[in-house]
Amino acid sequence: MDSGNPAAMVLEARAGGGGGHGSDDPAVIAAAAAATHDNEQLSKYLYIICGSVCAAVIAWKVIDISTKWVRTLVCLNNDRQRYFALPSPNLAFLKRHVLYAPVLRKRHNREIQLSTAINVGTLPTRFQLLFLTAYFATNVAFCVIDISFSDDYTSVTRLLRNRTGVLSVINMVPLFLLAGRNNPLIPLLGISFDTYNLLHRWFGRIVILEAVAHTIAHLAKGGWGEALGRIWTSPFLLWGFIATVAFVFLGVQAWSPLRHAFYEIFKLLHIAAAALSIVGVWYHLKLGELEQLPYLYGVIGLWAGDRAARALRVVYNNFGRSGTRTVIEALPGDTVRLTMTLARPWRARPGQHAYIYMPSISFWQSHPFSVTWTEGTDDLTADKLASTHQERKALQKMQVSFVIRARTGFTNTLYEKAATAPSGKMSATCYVEGPYGAKHPLDSYGTVVLFAGGVGVTHQVPYVKDLVQGFAAGTVATRKILLVWTIQSPEHLEWIRPWMTEILGMDRRRDVLRVMLFVSQPRSTKEIHSPSSTVQMFPGRPNIETLLSMEQEQQVGAMAVSVCGPGTLSDEVRRVVRRRQSRSSIDFIEEAFSW
């Protein structure tokens, strides 16, 4: 810092600056104090806005959960459920034009491919865009509010520098919160993995833009040549500059075409650059004695807490007794079935996913996959035999299965290793972390329609199992379940054959479940064979409009339509559900893993 009045310099630093010119002028000290107060108030307002949005979503979820709970109780012994099939005009309008609506006409989950090598990601929904636009505009307004741009150049750039620096640090807290797998907002808000990824990316862009504006305003304030020279002689300024460079690097390497083309490298560099940015900001705030340091401690706590929780989950699930054992089996269609016998039991509900670590293939990285099946299995390593049912249950271990289709990188290497192993099976050291993900229980809906494309059926199978069991036990409102699965070849049926065989053999399955299989690329018509009236196979692709029209004509109670599969399928199901909102009560649930 330059010599001058220490009080003025400390006040300016606490306003988000530091390294400024001191002054004995009381007016300068008063202005610095006013700037400090404004920055503190705006920081609080920003968190109040975030908190208010969270509170509104939580209130919505509480009402939604309560409504569904009451609906389930009322409909347990009601096979018609006519009241709940009636649409609410206001809610139908909101879902059609805001909640479920893409930004423009139809495209949302279908990725925008400029070429086979360049993927620029997906478009948000209209509701997501409204929130992101409002939050971005709020940050822009907060950066310039109460700054008189008619004042002298030095004062304006100083205030702008201070304000953007403070807001950048403030926004780091929600940024790192949204990045965590153990984010407490996931169970509270019930927001999907895909939405949290979208919010994380845009909060990151806001942090980066504010950090860049902070740095540029500082350079402009002191004269570009002089300010650049002072960066290398002042540790306070140097660490701030390093943090800004790290932020910019994070933004560049997270650009969708680069992220998709080099995902494994992206993850490693992203973690390293994020750590460097935290170190840089910490030194910058510490050396400047800035009041935003406690916020950074919150950031560090969130990141460290999430990493510790991940490690504890891995240790708890996979270590102890005989440890976790994994069998990987190569299947048709460049796919593997991965079955893990866990060291300790866990409970994965339908719709959840877990992360898989396989050090022999990808030492540092973990990859998310839908939990396809869970069941108890006898522990063959146990020293004693069970004499009663209770003892056997206590000795059982949890078996968790995933179906993974080869794409690029990790999944392709995994398939090639399994395919070249003797008899197409292999054992490997593998660890699982989870389960994660917002839960979307479907047991309050009288009619449930599940669309799946390819390996997306792994998301739907647990729902089918849970609802069929609940129907037989009389614990769900569901009276009709339709699974519509599109595959390229009948060979792909092998992916879930053992589990579907078990489901089809369940008590009262024929009374509630129908399965429609669509084979998009059959080699001949002889491959198309319907085993029964409740399990039918068709050539080509499903007509979503026709299928949902038929289901609505015979709808029992409220209807849930869920989809998991390629973006084209998801967008078409979304389009049809939106169009049919006014005809009956129908909710839309989409599962997507955007990365």
Side-chain angles (χ1 to χ4, degrees):
M1 286 187 176
D2 296 331
S3 59
N5 186 349
M9 291 190 293
V10 170
L11 283 171
E12 184 184 16
R14 290 180 176 176
H21 294 276
S23 172
D24 292 322
D25 189 345
V28 173
I29 298 176
T36 300
H37 179 265
D38 288 346
N39 293 342
E40 290 174 352
Q41 291 300 110
L42 290 173
S43 301
K44 292 177 182 178
Y45 293 154
L46 203 59
Y47 283 154
I48 289 173
I49 291 171
C50 291
S52 300
V53 171
C54 289
V57 176
I58 290 173
W60 171 276
K61 294 299 295 184
V62 169
I63 294 171
D64 183 57
I65 292 170
S66 301
T67 301
K68 290 178 179 177
W69 180 73
V70 171
R71 188 169 68 196
T72 303
L73 292 180
V74 172
C75 295
L76 287 179
N77 298 309
N78 184 348
D79 291 335
R80 295 189 177 184
Q81 306 175 22
R82 290 181 178 178
Y83 172 79
F84 296 102
L86 300 175
S88 165
N90 293 333
L91 184 58
F93 179 87
L94 183 65
K95 289 191 289 187
R96 178 172 182 175
H97 296 288
V98 181
L99 297 179
Y100 299 161
V103 173
L104 298 174
R105 297 179 61 186
K106 174 182 175 180
R107 191 167 199 154
H108 165 61
N109 197 33
R110 181 185 170 193
E111 295 177 335
I112 302 173
Q113 297 274 163
L114 298 184
S115 71
T116 55
I118 302 178
N119 182 337
V120 296
T122 59
L123 294 174
T125 64
R126 202 168 291 171
F127 181 71
Q128 290 170 342
L129 181 64
L130 286 173
F131 172 77
L132 292 172
T133 302
Y135 192 77
F136 188 89
T138 299
N139 273 270
V140 172
F142 279 15
C143 284
V144 298
I145 195 170
D146 288 338
I147 296 179
S148 177
F149 287 89
S150 60
D151 290 348
D152 63 277
Y153 177 80
T154 301
S155 298
V156 170
T157 52
R158 182 180 66 248
L159 293 172
L160 189 62
R161 175 201 64 187
N162 297 348
R163 181 72 54 75
T164 53
V166 168
L167 292 178
S168 183
V169 174
I170 295 302
N171 277 305
M172 286 178 69
V173 176
L175 170 66
F176 278 79
L177 177 64
L178 293 169
R181 294 176 190 173
N182 295 279
N183 174 2
L185 295 180
I186 293 175
L188 284 175
L189 305 184
I191 295 177
S192 68
F193 175 93
D194 185 61
T195 299
Y196 276 113
N197 261 351
L198 174 70
L199 294 177
H200 171 70
R201 288 194 292 269
W202 277 99
F203 271 78
R205 288 162 186 156
I206 290 171
V207 169
I208 293 167
L209 290 174
E210 288 172 341
V212 170
H214 173 71
T215 302
I216 291 175
H218 170 74
L219 294 175
K221 170 184 172 293
W224 294 88
E226 179 187 351
L228 281 170
R230 291 180 60 220
I231 286 177
W232 312 112
T233 59
S234 168
F236 166 74
L237 298 177
L238 179 60
W239 280 110
F241 184 72
I242 290 173
T244 299
V245 171
F247 281 137
V248 172
F249 176 78
L250 283 167
V252 171
Q253 62 107 208
W255 185 44
S256 185
L258 294 178
R259 186 174 73 249
H260 286 83
F262 309 102
Y263 186 71
E264 299 288 343
I265 298 175
F266 154 77
K267 286 289 288 183
L268 290 174
L269 293 178
H270 204 71
I271 294 170
L276 179 61
S277 68
I278 290 177
V279 172
V281 173
W282 186 85
Y283 274 112
H284 185 64
L285 298 178
K286 186 72 173 177
L287 293 171
E289 300 181 16
L290 304 183
E291 292 188 345
Q292 289 72 48
L293 194 58
Y295 292 105
L296 190 66
Y297 287 141
V299 170
I300 296 171
L302 288 171
W303 200 22
D306 179 63
R307 294 286 164 175
R310 293 187 196 183
L312 289 174
R313 281 178 179 263
V314 171
V315 172
Y316 180 82
N317 290 334
N318 302 280
F319 295 92
R321 296 175 67 178
S322 58
T324 293
R325 301 186 300 276
T326 304
V327 176
I328 304 162
E329 178 184 2
L331 301 175
D334 298 343
T335 302
V336 299
R337 184 162 52 225
L338 189 149
T339 303
M340 307 181 71
T341 304
L342 302 184
R344 291 186 177 86
W346 70 336
R347 184 183 179 189
R349 291 182 172 84
Q352 291 192 297
H353 61 274
Y355 288 81
I356 291 176
Y357 297 79
M358 196 166 291
S360 61
I361 296 178
S362 181
F363 186 75
W364 291 107
Q365 297 302 312
S366 58
H367 302 261
F369 301 101
S370 293
V371 177
T372 312
W373 195 261
T374 60
E375 61 183 347
T377 183
D378 291 337
D379 186 1
L380 301 178
T381 64
D383 295 331
K384 65 175 183 177
L385 296 176
S387 58
T388 65
H389 176 73
Q390 288 78 9
E391 286 184 3
R392 182 185 177 189
K393 191 172 181 180
L395 289 173
Q396 279 191 332
K397 304 191 77 172
M398 180 62 67
Q399 203 167 70
V400 183
S401 299
F402 305 85
V403 175
I404 303 169
R405 190 162 193 185
R407 302 295 183 186
T408 58
F410 169 81
T411 55
N412 186 57
T413 305
L414 178 62
Y415 171 75
E416 289 179 349
K417 282 199 170 189
T420 56
S423 70
K425 285 187 177 182
M426 61 178 258
S427 298
T429 300
C430 186
Y431 308 111
V432 66
E433 175 198 335
Y436 289 111
K439 298 177 286 293
H440 299 285
L442 304 180
D443 50 6
S444 70
Y445 294 93
T447 303
V448 175
V449 183
L450 306 169
F451 287 95
V455 78
V457 74
T458 59
H459 178 77
Q460 310 295 23
V461 166
Y463 280 113
V464 176
K465 175 187 177 184
D466 189 61
L467 292 175
V468 172
Q469 286 179 334
F471 175 76
T475 58
V476 301
T478 309
R479 298 296 183 268
K480 296 181 64 179
I481 308 168
L482 173 61
L483 173 63
V484 183
W485 184 22
T486 304
I487 52 178
Q488 294 177 342
S489 166
E491 292 180 337
H492 297 173
L493 295 172
E494 189 60 35
W495 296 350
I496 61 169
R497 186 182 299 279
W499 308 314
M500 283 306 298
T501 299
E502 183 172 335
I503 290 173
L504 295 177
M506 287 180 176
D507 185 34
R508 301 188 65 191
R509 186 275 307 173
R510 291 179 178 273
D511 297 337
V512 67
L513 174 65
R514 290 183 297 126
V515 180
M516 301 179 74
L517 303 170
F518 289 84
V519 183
S520 61
Q521 299 175 13
R523 288 173 294 190
S524 69
T525 55
K526 296 180 180 178
E527 290 186 321
I528 309 302
H529 172 68
S530 298
S532 69
S533 60
T534 56
V535 180
Q536 297 176 299
M537 186 179 293
F538 306 90
R541 299 182 183 277
N543 186 316
I544 310 298
E545 186 87 47
T546 301
L547 286 175
L548 286 182
S549 174
M550 293 170 59
E551 291 306 307
Q552 279 192 301
E553 288 177 3
Q554 304 174 12
Q555 180 173 337
V556 176
M559 180 190 292
V561 178
S562 172
V563 61
C564 183
T568 304
L569 173 65
S570 296
D571 289 351
E572 177 63 14
V573 174
R574 178 187 293 271
R575 181 190 69 83
V576 175
V577 170
R578 288 181 61 222
R579 286 189 58 183
R580 309 190 73 82
Q581 280 297 315
S582 61
R583 306 189 184 193
S584 67
S585 174
I586 177 170
D587 289 344
F588 176 73
I589 302 167
E590 178 185 58
E591 181 65 22
F593 287 97
S594 67
W595 49 278

